[in-house]
Structure formats: structure tokens, C-alpha cells
Amino acid sequence: MALKVDDPRLLQVITLLGTLGVCPRDFYETEDRLSILLDEEYLSNLPEMKNSLIYIRKIVKKNVDIVFFSEDLKRFCEYLFYPAKIKKIELRSSRRGKILVVHVDFWQRGLALGTKSYKLYRARYFISKYFPEIETVYVQA
């Protein structure tokens, strides 16, 4: 699947990651954060990307997160909500589709949600895009 990008800043990010041999799968951007979705095969390249992340932050003038994609829904949720530890994942049926409920310990709920529930919105975006049968995502303590 080809990634269509109109923003010149994101083109610079793609070019910079390309010099490391990494091709991003997708982006999720808000006012103050940028999440880069990479395939799980690039997990071993993470130490090399640490220095590039500093440069990427200067390009986009935002905090930058890297999230890894996995075809396994449980593993993908672990990447999306890291560093929170997921106790279990539950798929519930609703009228419009399936609802994904991610269970975490009560004291880790803040880690799972992120600042201004950023991680939850990012998870809803990526999961609805790559797992279209899932309608929405909830975090439950």
C-alpha cells in the first residue's frame, strides 16, 4: 500500500527514514505530536533511529513517537499502548461492528491513555484503518 503525503515536512521525514533503510507505513499527527507507524521488521533498526528522531523533531517541530505494526492484534495493541502493560484484550460485538476493549491495571490507565488521551485516539485511528472489522477501541481499568 502506497503512502500518499502532501506535506513537505513529512516528505523530509520519509526521506530521512529512507536513508536508514526504513519505509514508514503510516503517520498519525495532532497539534503537538507525530506518530510514525513502521512494520515490525524494522524493530531491530530502532537503536539506529534514535539519533534521527532528534532531527525529525526539529523538522516537524513536534514530539515524535514510533509505533510498530503487527498483524497480530494483541501485539499491535501492546505497541500502541506501550509502556502500559495490557492485562487482556476483549472483542465485543455491537450493532455496527466489533468493539475492542483493552484492559489495563487501574494505576496504568494514565500510561495507556497518554496526554489528552493521545494514545487512545491514535489506537482508534490505526486499528480502524488496518483492522476494518473493529469499530472502536476502549481502555478499561
Side-chain angles (χ1 to χ4, degrees), residues 3-28:
L3 182 62
K4 296 179 182 177
V5 179
D6 297 334
D7 190 352
R9 296 173 307 120
L10 293 181
L11 286 173
Q12 284 182 307
V13 171
I14 292 171
T15 305
L16 181 63
L17 290 172
T19 60
L20 298 171
V22 175
C23 181
R25 182 181 267 260
D26 205 348
F27 294 100
Y28 177 73

Side-chain angles (χ1 to χ4, degrees), residues 89-105:
I89 293 176
E90 181 182 356
L91 273 174
R92 297 180 184 168
S93 296
S94 72
R95 291 182 207 151
R96 288 185 254 153
K98 293 183 179 179
I99 298 171
L100 181 72
V101 182
V102 179
H103 294 272
V104 295
D105 286 329

Side-chain angles (χ1 to χ4, degrees), residues 16-17 20-23 36 38-39 41-57 66 68:
L16 181 63
L17 290 172
L20 298 171
V22 175
C23 181
I36 303 169
L38 301 176
D39 285 326
E41 65 192 52
Y42 299 122
L43 194 56
S44 61
N45 295 18
L46 191 59
E48 300 163 7
M49 286 188 273
K50 292 287 186 187
N51 292 334
S52 298
L53 284 179
I54 296 167
Y55 187 64
I56 292 172
R57 282 186 187 115
I66 291 182
F68 292 97

Side-chain angles (χ1 to χ4, degrees), residues 28-36 63-65 67 112-124 126:
Y28 177 73
E29 188 172 16
T30 60
E31 302 164 351
D32 57 345
R33 285 192 172 273
L34 172 69
S35 287
I36 303 169
N63 290 331
V64 178
D65 298 330
V67 179
L113 292 175
T115 306
K116 299 180 186 175
S117 298
Y118 172 76
K119 289 183 182 180
L120 178 63
Y121 294 126
R122 176 182 69 186
R124 286 179 178 168
F126 285 141

